[in-house]
Amino acid sequence: MSWFESFVLGLVQGLTEFLPISSSAHLRLTAAFAGWHDPGAAFTAITQIGTEAAVLIYFRKDIARILSAWFRSLTDRTMRGDHDAQMGWLVIVGSIPIGVLGLTLKDQIEGPFRDLRLIATTLIVMGIVLGVADRLAARDETGGKHRVVKERKTLKDLGVKDGLIYGFCQAMALIPGVSRSGATISGGLLMGYTRESAARYSFLLAIPAVLASGAYELKDVGEGHVSWGPTIFATLVAFFVGYAVIAWFMKFITTKSFMPFVIYRILLGIVIFALIWSGALSPHAGESAG
């Protein structure tokens, strides 16, 4: 991998990680369209550490408060009813599904799941799911003819059941094209949470999974065409770009709908299918050398 490739892929990772459009799919597609080798699951997981570092900084006050309350709850029974302490436990519970499935499906994640036809399918299907979830949220928030405004849930209403559902939604993102934020936000909206609450928990829930996945994949750097230097460079680029994107996205969702992302996902999926059917793009482009 050249330094230019690592810069472009780091830029793509930073731009797409927090948007509900799938960063892993865009890394795969960028390489395929440019005629580069597939960067692979290891490169993707490690560069996500960069964007996750942006989450740690952006939500540093929330994270510090949650960690403090959670550690105190281990020895102080009176703290176990504290919302922040409960959030710590819920993040742990919600991380279990992706941890188990990530290890179980490792071979599929690095192989069959990277087929561009599957990526195109998940882009379209999850785009439709996000669109439905967004419309339901908008209907509750604005009411309408013969309808009253319905109050949606916040993170104070989050319990073990919803935490696990969030976790299984996040685990779906093991398939490129699903999108970690897209799946968890869609799940949250369908469960009746506000856009801001669904996005906030989505980002907090991703921290253990992304850091653990990145650390696990460190051993594979240096194999194939991906080396340490470009990987670290791409991770740094992803961090700086990702921080700017997350700050923008958290403001965007307070007043805007997810429909632009829904339309983008569906159109991109259709374009990929059209290119594959026309023979202009191989569904396994770049895989042989990845």
Side-chain angles (χ1 to χ4, degrees):
M1 176 181 290
S2 69
W3 291 99
F4 177 71
E5 287 179 49
S6 68
F7 171 76
V8 172
L9 294 173
L11 184 64
V12 170
Q13 168 63 27
L15 286 171
T16 59
E17 172 65 19
F18 303 118
L19 305 181
I21 56 177
S22 180
S23 61
S24 57
H26 279 75
L27 288 175
R28 176 79 177 89
L29 290 169
T30 299
F33 288 151
W36 300 338
H37 298 325
D38 180 0
F43 177 87
T44 300
I46 293 169
T47 54
Q48 284 176 340
I49 293 177
T51 44
E52 212 55 39
V55 172
L56 292 174
I57 294 176
Y58 187 85
F59 290 110
R60 60 190 180 278
K61 292 181 180 178
D62 300 57
I63 294 169
R65 194 177 63 249
I66 290 170
L67 286 175
S68 174
W70 182 77
F71 277 114
R72 281 185 289 155
S73 73
L74 296 178
T75 56
D76 185 352
R77 283 180 171 271
T78 62
M79 285 295 298
R80 294 177 185 176
D82 182 83
H83 172 67
D84 289 323
Q86 291 175 346
M87 277 295 294
W89 286 111
L90 289 170
V91 168
I92 293 173
V93 169
S95 300
I96 294 173
I98 197 170
V100 173
L101 292 175
L103 292 173
T104 304
L105 301 174
K106 186 177 186 301
D107 291 340
Q108 287 75 21
I109 294 168
E110 296 176 349
F113 285 1
R114 302 185 74 79
D115 187 304
L116 295 181
R117 290 166 296 191
L118 177 60
I119 290 175
T121 301
T122 54
L123 282 170
I124 294 171
V125 172
M126 289 306 300
I128 294 172
V129 171
L130 178 61
V132 171
D134 186 67
R135 288 300 296 250
L136 290 174
R139 187 180 65 181
D140 288 347
E141 292 166 357
T142 61
K145 189 176 182 180
H146 307 307
R147 294 184 61 86
V148 296
V149 174
K150 180 180 178 181
E151 185 176 354
R152 294 181 71 82
K153 294 188 285 187
T154 68
L155 291 185
K156 290 186 177 180
D157 301 305
L158 186 66
V160 174
K161 177 184 175 182
D162 286 358
L164 275 173
I165 293 175
Y166 265 114
F168 279 106
C169 290
Q170 177 179 238
M172 293 172 61
L174 292 169
I175 304 173
V178 170
S179 170
R180 185 191 310 275
S181 64
T184 49
I185 289 173
S186 294
L189 293 178
L190 290 173
M191 287 188 287
Y193 288 87
T194 65
R195 289 186 177 91
E196 194 274 340
S197 294
R200 184 173 291 268
Y201 185 64
S202 170
F203 295 151
L204 293 175
L205 182 61
I207 293 173
V210 170
L211 295 181
S213 175
Y216 179 79
E217 296 288 359
L218 287 174
K219 67 184 188 317
D220 293 331
V221 176
E223 296 181 4
H225 70 288
V226 179
S227 57
W228 273 105
T231 301
I232 293 174
F233 180 53
T235 303
L236 290 173
V237 172
F239 164 73
F240 288 109
V241 176
Y243 187 86
V245 171
I246 192 174
W248 170 82
F249 186 63
M250 291 304 294
K251 292 179 181 178
F252 176 87
I253 60 174
T254 59
T255 58
K256 308 292 184 181
S257 85
F258 290 111
M259 290 311 294
F261 304 112
V262 171
I263 295 170
Y264 173 78
R265 290 181 64 106
I266 294 174
L267 289 178
L268 180 59
I270 292 172
V271 168
I272 294 169
F273 272 129
L275 291 173
I276 292 173
W277 286 335
S278 68
L281 181 68
S282 166
H284 305 288
E287 283 187 359
S288 59

